[in-house]
Amino acid sequence: MARHARPTAVLVHGAFADASSFARVIPELTAAGMEVIAPAVPNRSLVDDAAYIASVVRAVEGPVILVGHSYGGAVITLAGTEDNVRALVYLAGYALEEGESLGELQGGFPDSGLADALVYTPFPVPGSTETGTDVSVAIEKFPALFAADVDPELAAVLAVSQRPLAARAFSEAAPVAAWKTKPSWGLVASADRTINPDVERFGYERAGMTVVEVDSSHLVMLAQPKAVAELIMDAARSTGH
């Protein structure tokens, strides 16, 4: 096998989390012989975040299985058009249509508990007198909303180490939808209290994905890592790797 013939899984985290959310999935993938990269997403702008992830993908020599959790699903919807992306895997994620924003997709369904738990904080924008707005989850509400079936001590750590998402990312329309040209898999977290599971189902079905449902909270990678790893490896196998 050529040096770079094996696929690399590029794991894209979502809002209110970071790459450590894949900590239990990464050992499963590496044990199965997959290369893994779990970059830090800036969480500043959907288009800019996708451009950054696309640059990470382009730097990989060989095929990529691009995986996105939650907001990371919206990011891979854009970044997944890179030539070496062989498959997309959505984990409790947003599969946007071309021209659609996160707010528009979410707005078509009843709110989850997330809307009432959000905290808005201004942040300085370099080179501007304007401020941006960071969105995070109230610390005391985070464990039950995000990580109900994750070890409580870990959930408490995650609650105070959130990566907020800039509010502008919710209203930016997706200029492309990579699932139109790339085979895609979607995992519905059926006990999700962060994203209404019907939002996940709708996006996946619209895209014609291969869909699995897992009884899990939003942080399915920490709650059900074997199921997540198996889906990623299924995607890799189905694309001939």
Side-chain angles (χ1 to χ4, degrees):
M1 184 175 288
R3 180 181 174 190
H4 298 294
R6 288 185 177 181
T8 297
V10 176
L11 310 178
V12 181
H13 68 78
F16 322 131
D18 60 23
S20 68
S21 57
F22 291 103
R24 296 187 66 196
V25 172
I26 291 170
E28 300 280 343
L29 297 177
T30 55
M34 291 191 74
E35 302 288 334
V36 179
I37 299 173
V41 183
N43 283 5
R44 298 291 79 182
S45 150
L46 175 58
V47 173
D48 292 346
D49 291 345
Y52 173 72
I53 294 300
S55 75
V56 172
V57 169
R58 285 194 299 273
V60 176
E61 296 184 41
V64 165
I65 308 300
L66 189 56
V67 181
H69 173 244
S70 189
Y71 167 67
V75 173
I76 71 170
T77 297
L78 280 60
T81 57
E82 290 298 314
D83 289 344
N84 58 332
V85 173
R86 296 292 181 264
L88 306 172
V89 179
Y90 290 77
L91 306 174
Y94 293 101
L96 299 179
E97 173 62 278
E98 187 175 325
E100 183 177 54
S101 70
L102 284 166
E104 288 169 339
L105 175 56
Q106 183 74 59
F109 297 85
D111 284 339
S112 66
L114 181 65
D116 293 332
L118 295 178
V119 176
Y120 301 90
T121 308
F123 68 86
V125 177
S128 173
T129 58
E130 301 292 324
T131 58
T133 301
D134 261 340
V135 184
S136 59
V137 179
I139 290 171
E140 70 277 8
K141 295 180 179 180
F142 182 99
L145 277 177
F146 237 67
D149 50 0
V150 174
D151 177 83
E153 291 185 358
L154 175 57
V157 171
L158 297 173
V160 300
S161 58
Q162 295 176 52
R163 290 283 303 278
L165 178 65
R168 64 178 288 194
F170 289 96
S171 60
E172 290 179 287
V176 294
W179 50 257
K180 291 179 181 290
T181 57
K182 303 293 173 80
S184 303
W185 283 254
L187 183 150
V188 176
S190 59
D192 200 333
R193 295 183 60 198
T194 298
I195 299 177
N196 183 334
D198 285 339
V199 174
E200 301 164 22
R201 294 183 184 105
F202 173 80
Y204 300 167
E205 291 167 8
R206 178 174 63 181
M209 296 187 195
T210 300
V211 180
V212 300
E213 299 223 2
V214 177
D215 182 13
S216 174
S217 69
H218 190 59
L219 280 177
V220 62
M221 307 90 72
L222 288 170
Q224 300 285 347
K226 290 185 182 297
V228 170
E230 188 58 39
L231 185 64
I232 295 168
M233 289 186 287
D234 280 350
R237 286 189 290 264
S238 296
T239 56
H241 297 284

